[in-house]
Amino acid sequence: MSEFTTTTMINPITVTGDPVRFREIIDLIAAYMSEQDGFVRLRFFQSHRHPEKYYMLAEWRDLDAHQAAADRRSPEVLGWFAELKELTEVAPDFFATLAARESVPLTHGTQAPPR
């Protein structure tokens, strides 16, 4: 079995409403998610060229952990998601992590490996 077993929700987001309120809601949702069992990390990106376009990558221990967190949402949290839906166009999907690589720092006197 691979060491890479996490599930990542990749969510392309286009903001069609108030961008300030959008960021406020994202902050609330991110705080909620980060407190849930099975949550690993969240990365949130905004396009340099198209400021209304974002990507949210939310990594979870597995798909069941994400579903359990979704099932536990309070009425207040459900309200945030409903408001988010009014401000955006989204198309989330879930992906298994198949591989990952980190940069290797070069030490003095070494060369980067050939490509």
Side-chain angles (χ1 to χ4, degrees):
M1 183 175 206
S2 169
E3 67 178 289
F4 303 107
T5 59
T6 59
T7 293
T8 302
M9 179 195 71
I10 300 176
N11 191 359
I13 302 168
T14 301
V15 176
T16 58
D18 179 5
V20 173
R21 183 59 183 152
F22 163 73
R23 292 297 301 270
E24 292 170 352
I25 293 170
I26 287 296
D27 287 344
L28 293 168
I29 291 171
Y32 166 79
M33 288 181 0
S34 68
E35 297 172 351
Q36 302 307 304
D37 183 49
F39 175 82
V40 177
R41 81 177 49 90
L42 173 75
R43 296 182 74 192
F44 188 58
F45 304 89
Q46 182 179 22
S47 171
H48 286 292
R49 294 184 180 154
H50 306 281
E52 75 283 3
K53 294 187 180 289
Y54 297 81
Y55 270 87
M56 176 182 283
L57 281 67
E59 189 174 349
W60 294 84
R61 178 182 60 233
D62 54 38
L63 193 53
D64 290 339
H66 175 271
Q67 188 58 54
D71 292 345
R72 285 191 299 270
R73 292 178 293 180
S74 68
E76 179 182 30
V77 173
L78 289 170
W80 300 336
F81 278 91
E83 190 174 353
L84 185 65
K85 187 176 180 181
E86 295 297 318
L87 296 172
T88 63
E89 295 172 358
V90 298
D93 201 354
F94 294 87
F95 298 83
T97 303
L98 301 180
R101 185 174 296 230
E102 303 290 333
S103 67
V104 178
L106 298 176
T107 59
H108 183 70
T110 62
Q111 295 180 352
R115 294 181 184 231

